[in-house]
Amino acid sequence: MLYSLYKYVISDDFLHLMMVRKGRKLVARCIPNLEKKNAEDVVMLVLKRLQVLLKKDPQDEGLMVLHDPVVRTIQSCDLKSLVQFLSTVLSETDTASQALQNKFGSSVVCTLIHRGEVLYKDTSPLDIDNQLQTEWCQFVHDLASILATVPLESLVKPKLPQTTISGHFDRLLNKKQIASLEDKLKVIAEPQAVS
């Protein structure tokens, strides 16, 4: 039964499924029950269709049902999958820019960077594939460039701010780039102050 549901989810009807609330809930309930590779395939489909989904969900309400299963899947993936995920988000500049202006999109992007930092911290540089490391670094630089173009007031704080994002940017970007992003990193990386 679950495999049949998975086959339907990854079919050409995926976008139609994601346009209705019950379809998004079905996908959200399906992801945690799939094998790791299949869950990553579904997350990849969400990321491939992210631009369309963000346009159809301007109020941030419908996509947030996917937040927890998508974040859990990202948090368990390896660098190769991370590179694939981030390359999909960055394949069109508009997608990444729109994602940073939407709670679900911002949460996904921040989770990708957070996971990258966790992998960099927990893995010896000798154990990281050079090709993947080069691609990841380039994607982080591209994301930083996109982040620099998004107006500060348009950035949306992710559901769960990831304080490790600033550290990862510090690790991979030069000081001039970091300085230009400082205010924006505060918005997406730091927890909201309690008043």
Side-chain angles (χ1 to χ4, degrees):
M1 167 86 178
L2 190 58
Y3 185 73
S4 299
L5 183 59
Y6 166 73
K7 284 295 187 188
Y8 180 76
V9 166
I10 63 166
S11 73
D12 293 335
D13 296 325
F14 179 73
L15 194 56
H16 298 293
L17 183 69
M18 294 297 291
M19 290 298 144
V20 294
R21 183 175 44 88
K22 286 183 180 182
R24 289 186 298 268
K25 283 185 175 183
L26 178 66
V27 171
R29 288 184 16 222
C30 178
I31 292 172
N33 297 307
L34 295 171
E35 292 179 21
K36 184 178 185 225
K37 173 70 175 113
N38 294 344
E40 288 178 2
D41 289 345
V42 174
V43 170
M44 181 61 82
L45 278 174
V46 169
L47 297 178
K48 282 180 179 176
R49 303 289 192 216
L50 191 59
Q51 188 171 20
V52 174
L53 295 172
L54 292 174
K55 284 181 182 177
K56 297 288 184 183
D57 188 39
Q59 303 303 320
D60 272 342
E61 294 166 5
L63 290 176
M64 286 308 289
V65 72
L66 294 167
H67 177 273
D68 292 347
V70 167
V71 165
R72 269 189 240 112
T73 301
I74 292 170
Q75 289 175 336
S76 69
C77 70
D78 58 13
L79 188 58
K80 181 178 180 184
S81 296
L82 255 163
V83 165
Q84 292 171 344
F85 289 157
L86 194 54
S87 70
T88 300
V89 172
L90 296 176
S91 63
E92 295 181 39
T93 304
D94 290 349
T95 302
S97 179
Q98 284 178 351
L100 292 166
Q101 299 175 59
N102 174 285
K103 190 171 242 12
F104 176 75
S106 181
S107 297
V108 167
V109 170
C110 290
T111 301
L112 288 167
I113 301 300
H114 167 73
R115 179 63 181 160
E117 179 60 12
V118 168
L119 290 172
Y120 267 72
K121 266 190 196 175
D122 295 348
T123 310
S124 163
L126 300 174
D127 293 335
I128 298 176
D129 179 270
N130 285 339
Q131 178 71 28
L132 288 176
Q133 188 172 15
T134 301
E135 288 178 40
W136 179 255
C137 291
Q138 184 58 53
F139 290 139
V140 171
H141 280 267
D142 293 346
L143 180 62
S145 297
I146 293 167
L147 181 59
T149 65
V150 177
L152 182 64
E153 60 277 356
S154 297
L155 286 174
V156 175
K157 198 174 259 318
K159 181 178 178 185
L160 303 170
Q162 307 285 355
T163 55
T164 57
I165 292 171
S166 296
H168 199 58
F169 279 121
D170 281 343
R171 180 189 302 271
L172 300 177
L173 302 176
N174 64 44
K175 291 182 187 211
K176 184 178 176 184
Q177 289 171 306
I178 293 295
S180 70
L181 296 174
E182 191 173 343
D183 290 340
K184 293 177 180 183
L185 288 175
K186 285 180 184 176
V187 172
I188 64 171
E190 293 181 6
Q192 213 165 356
V194 179
S195 30

